[in-house]
């Protein structure tokens, strides 16, 4: 299927385009960040998924968005039940994500004809394409992957052996999906206020009692749950538990989904409120250190949120560029109009910053997974950075893309409204913007992660092959951003935490974009890097006239 590119049509329609091919830099960047043999192996899948994301998968996402899951609490015979009914469109997407692509399993086993687990960059490249069509399903995919990671890291070997095969299965009828039930009415960001109780049993299991307020993928087969196991207040009394949907005797576990949430976005996926009535569960890791262990799962989910924000921004900019190039007004194509060009360039800057940070963080995580101490520190600080800034930027970019389409962008027949609604999730789940910005400061003050980030940026800058003057501008901005962040963290100046985190994100992505420009011989990515530097980091008079039209031409070239 080809998109309608007839300029005489009132509304250009991109449906049917291949979102991988329509992305100017996708192939080059995927090839740059993935090992060459793996990229060659996966490229046909990238191309196929790009076609699906612009066609069939996008259609399914729209159907599922307008037909959210429902909860059945009784069978027609009068028996109690707790069944989430999913629309067939959502189930078809589940089969693609979990089974055909193996997105939740590929970090743990070979999938897609590859005989070993794939590095994070491969998983995030595929997720980046998938989420351009469907956002909500990527939450269960991420939580399944993250739960498996946390269970393998902290769980008793017998517990791991019991559930690992199903968690990493690509057989749709056999696989077990994961979730995390953490939030309570009185314990959102303040996990220390957790009230759910855990009572030990003679057989080594635990019984959980209490209410969980916001549980996504509510009917998951397995969930990680925080509960208070000790009679002390605060974090020290909280432990981490694995909660199965079914008990060992094959009966449903003792908890109920009270209702499903009617959400602004991610409407395709079931989020609910759960009441634990003495539910059977298993301790994971050290008793009383639940949040420390849950943080591993939360951080993995935070990174996934950043990746999804990057994908949303890419879809939004692809749509906006398509419209601007194929719609006429005032005798010109929209892309020829000066203010439109400036708006499109700003959207591209934010979108490409997020993609650059996605791959840099994936590299750090890969190093951390191989027990590299520096990689662990990089992942520790870069994860909250992308979660904080990219998720906020996605709200703006998707809104701007809606404006480019005009009034039709506000109509549910098009993708814009769904993108805008979904984009707001990233700034809330797994920590609001304030919480995550403060976590950047903690990564500096408690985990000494800033020297690793500064050294990594210096390494990238050396490889960017910049002229002396430009090199000095980037180096100076890096020094100032790091000094500012260090001071904010040392003084525990919470009020400046967001400003500090933004500065680190902007300098890291600016240098990363400059390095990509050199490695890929792509001058337009250096133009993007300069825009980040000029508009986000360097002093600038807001009343000074002037615009770099050459940079706009480079960035917006087809």
């Amino acid at each position: 299927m080809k998109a309608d590119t007839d300029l005489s049509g009132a509304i250009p329609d991109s449906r049917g385009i291949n979102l991988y091919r329509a992305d100017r830099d996708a192939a080059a960047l995927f090839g740059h960040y993935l090992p060459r043999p793996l990229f060659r192996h996966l490229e046909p899948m990238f191309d196929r998924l790009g076609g699906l994301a612009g066609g069939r998968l996008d259609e399914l996402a729209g159907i599922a968005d307008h037909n959210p899951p429902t909860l059945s609490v009784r069978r027609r015979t009068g028996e109690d039940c707790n069944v989430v009914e999913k629309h067939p469109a959502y189930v078809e997407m589940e089969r693609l994500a979990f089974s055909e692509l193996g997105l939740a399993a590929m970090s743990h086993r070979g999938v897609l004809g590859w005989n070993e687990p794939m590095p994070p960059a491969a998983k995030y490249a595929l997720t980046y394409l998938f989420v351009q069509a469907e956002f909500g399903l990527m939450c269960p995919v991420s939580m399944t992957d993250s739960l498996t990671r946390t269970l393998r890291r902290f769980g008793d070997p017998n517990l791991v052996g019991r559930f690992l095969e199903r968690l990493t299965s690509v057989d749709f009828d056999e696989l077990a999906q994961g979730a995390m039930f953490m939030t309570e009415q009185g314990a959102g960001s303040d996990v220390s206020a957790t009230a759910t109780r855990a009572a030990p049993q003679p057989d080594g299991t635990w019984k959980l009692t209490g209410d969980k307020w916001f549980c996504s993928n509510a009917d998951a087969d397995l969930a990680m749950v925080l509960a208070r196991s000790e009679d002390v207040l605060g974090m020290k009394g909280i432990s981490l538990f694995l909660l199965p949907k079914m008990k060992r005797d094959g009966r449903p576990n003792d908890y109920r989904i009270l209702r499903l949430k009617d959400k602004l976005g991610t409407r395709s996926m079931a989020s609910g409120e759960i009441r634990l009535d003495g539910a059977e569960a298993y301790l994971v890791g050290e008793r009383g250190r639940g949040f420390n262990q849950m943080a591993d799962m939360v951080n993995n989910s935070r990174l996934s949120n950043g990746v999804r924000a990057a994908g949303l921004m890419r879809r939004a900019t692809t749509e906006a560029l398509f419209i601007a190039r194929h719609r006429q007004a005032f005798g010109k194509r929209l892309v020829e109009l000066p203010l439109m060009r400036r708006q499109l360039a700003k959207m591209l800057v934010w979108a490409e910053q997020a993609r650059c940070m996605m791959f840099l963080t994936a590299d750090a995580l890969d190093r951390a997974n191989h027990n590299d101490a520096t990689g662990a520190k990089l992942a520790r600080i870069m994860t909250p950075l992308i979660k904080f800034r990219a998720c906020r930027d996605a709200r703006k970019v998707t809104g701007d893309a809606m404006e480019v389409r005009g009034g039709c962008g506000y109509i549910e027949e098009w993708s814009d409204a769904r993108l805008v609604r979904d984009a707001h999730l990233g700034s809330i789940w797994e920590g609001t913007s304030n919480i995550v910005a403060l976590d950047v400061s903690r990564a500096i003050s408690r985990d000494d992660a800033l020297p690793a980030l500064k050294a990594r940026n210096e390494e990238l800058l050396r490889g960017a092959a910049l002229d002396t003057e430009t090199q000095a501008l980037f180096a100076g901005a890096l020094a100032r951003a790091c000094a500012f962040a260090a001071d904010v963290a040392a003084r525990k100046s919470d009020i400046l935490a967001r400003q500090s985190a933004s500065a680190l994100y902007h300098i890291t992505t600016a240098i990363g974009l400059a390095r990509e420009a050199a490695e890929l011989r792509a001058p337009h990515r250096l133009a993007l890097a300069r825009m980040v530097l000029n508009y986000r980091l360097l002093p600038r008079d807001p009343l000074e006239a002037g615009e770099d039209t050459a940079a706009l031409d480079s960035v917006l070239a087809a």
Side-chain angles (χ1 to χ4, degrees), residues 163-180:
F163 293 110
L164 182 62
E165 185 174 348
R166 287 191 61 207
L167 283 165
T168 59
S169 177
V170 292
D171 183 330
F172 190 72
D173 296 322
E174 294 295 326
L175 74 87
Q177 292 190 30
M180 58 179 175

Side-chain angles (χ1 to χ4, degrees), residues 159 162-163 205-206 240-242 244 248 280-284:
L159 195 62
R162 179 177 165 188
F163 293 110
T205 63
W206 292 72
L240 179 63
F241 298 91
L242 183 69
R248 288 167 297 174
E280 181 177 280
Y282 304 91
L283 181 67
V284 175

